[in-house]
Amino acid sequence: MKKILLHTILLVSLPTFAQQIGNGMSIITAKQRLDLSKGYEVDDKSIEGSPYFTTTFLPATVTGYEGMFLLRYNAYKDEMEFQSEGKILFVIKSDSMEVNFTNSNKKYKYTLYNSDKGNVKGFLVSIATGKKVSLFKREKVKLIPKVEAANSYASEVPAHYEFQREAFFIKKEDGIVPFPKNKKELIKMFPDKESQIVDFLKNNSVSFSKESDLVTLTTFLNSI
């Protein structure tokens, strides 16, 4: 997709935002610009559900840019979105880009990570950071195609967005990989820390699928 640079602005008096459409696809601003690529028109209303965990455009800072911008994360397209005159535009992604939504302090990092599809680049939510390891999670929405009615007695199932189970990842020196799913996998990842891990899990009730417990486990791993 050919990228088109668009310019955006945050006025001096927060939280008031403004933009004007000038010639072509440029958004005229007074101070700072956010590089965007052409996106799409407003969502198809025939699709049920939502591709967003948060549908509202909220103030956010972006690494490499001054000021603040109204953005939202599209978990189906894995894109940060900006809206202008009914059109959705995508923030041009760059390595290690971070988007921090200031109201919720929710931070997304665009990075390379290992998933069930191999090494991919995408946005991960930063959950807990440390000098040795850090915890991330992926938000994902899947589009389920429409299913036509098999006969006159059946009803068609409309196309709809479906939230997927969140996936957690751990960042080590050698990259970002899926978080271990159990004690055995955790020990395999940190074989030199086996005794400390065994003792910790023996004395603490930890679920490998619960975010708060993984934060606790990440804090522990940074301490040993």
Side-chain angles (χ1 to χ4, degrees):
M1 177 184 295
K2 184 178 180 181
K3 293 179 178 178
I4 304 172
L5 297 185
L6 297 105
H7 300 209
T8 64
I9 179 63
L10 168 68
L11 295 183
V12 176
S13 57
L14 294 176
T16 303
F17 296 81
Q19 65 223 19
Q20 281 184 307
I21 300 300
N23 295 328
M25 293 293 292
S26 292
I27 298 176
I28 306 303
T29 69
K31 180 181 178 182
Q32 181 60 28
R33 74 180 190 182
L34 180 65
D35 293 333
L36 305 166
S37 65
K38 189 175 181 180
Y40 57 96
E41 301 293 333
V42 293
D43 287 344
D44 185 349
K45 301 301 182 182
S46 67
I47 302 176
E48 296 185 351
S50 173
Y52 311 100
F53 282 76
T54 302
T55 59
T56 308
F57 288 87
L58 297 173
T61 59
V62 183
T63 52
Y65 300 94
E66 295 178 5
M68 208 170 294
F69 308 93
L70 288 175
L71 304 174
R72 69 179 177 186
Y73 176 61
N74 187 320
Y76 168 61
K77 295 180 180 293
D78 194 25
E79 298 280 1
M80 286 293 166
E81 296 183 345
F82 180 88
Q83 187 176 36
S84 175
E85 295 190 342
K87 294 181 179 179
I88 302 298
L89 309 169
F90 296 145
V91 176
I92 294 179
K93 294 173 278 194
S94 60
D95 290 343
S96 299
M97 170 184 279
E98 291 185 353
V99 179
N100 184 22
F101 288 90
T102 55
N103 287 1
S104 62
N105 200 30
K106 191 174 186 178
K107 183 182 292 183
Y108 291 81
K109 184 180 180 70
Y110 182 72
T111 185
L112 177 70
Y113 65 94
N114 182 272
S115 72
D116 52 357
K117 295 183 179 179
N119 288 326
V120 298
K121 281 187 176 182
F123 282 106
L124 296 177
V125 182
S126 177
I127 303 299
T129 58
K131 292 183 178 180
K132 297 179 181 179
V133 298
S134 297
L135 176 67
F136 293 88
K137 76 174 178 181
R138 182 185 64 199
E139 296 178 337
K140 188 175 181 180
V141 172
K142 184 177 180 180
L143 176 59
I144 308 300
K146 180 176 71 173
V147 178
E148 300 287 350
N151 52 58
S152 59
Y153 298 99
S155 300
E156 75 170 25
V157 178
H160 61 280
Y161 293 106
E162 185 177 276
F163 289 96
Q164 302 297 289
R165 184 175 180 178
E166 56 193 6
F168 294 96
F169 296 83
I170 185 171
K171 180 181 180 181
K172 300 173 57 185
E173 291 183 356
D174 54 350
I176 301 176
V177 298
F179 202 97
K181 292 181 173 59
N182 51 51
K183 180 176 73 173
K184 183 178 179 180
E185 289 186 7
L186 184 62
I187 292 173
K188 185 177 181 180
M189 184 175 286
F190 300 94
D192 57 327
K193 306 295 183 182
E194 180 175 359
S195 59
Q196 294 103 310
I197 291 172
V198 170
D199 288 342
F200 179 82
L201 295 179
K202 182 179 180 179
N203 296 315
N204 296 272
S205 178
V206 174
S207 168
F208 283 81
S209 60
K210 187 177 180 180
E211 182 176 318
S212 60
D213 285 1
L214 294 186
V215 171
T216 300
L217 194 50
T218 299
T219 302
F220 163 72
L221 293 171
N222 277 303
S223 71
I224 59 176

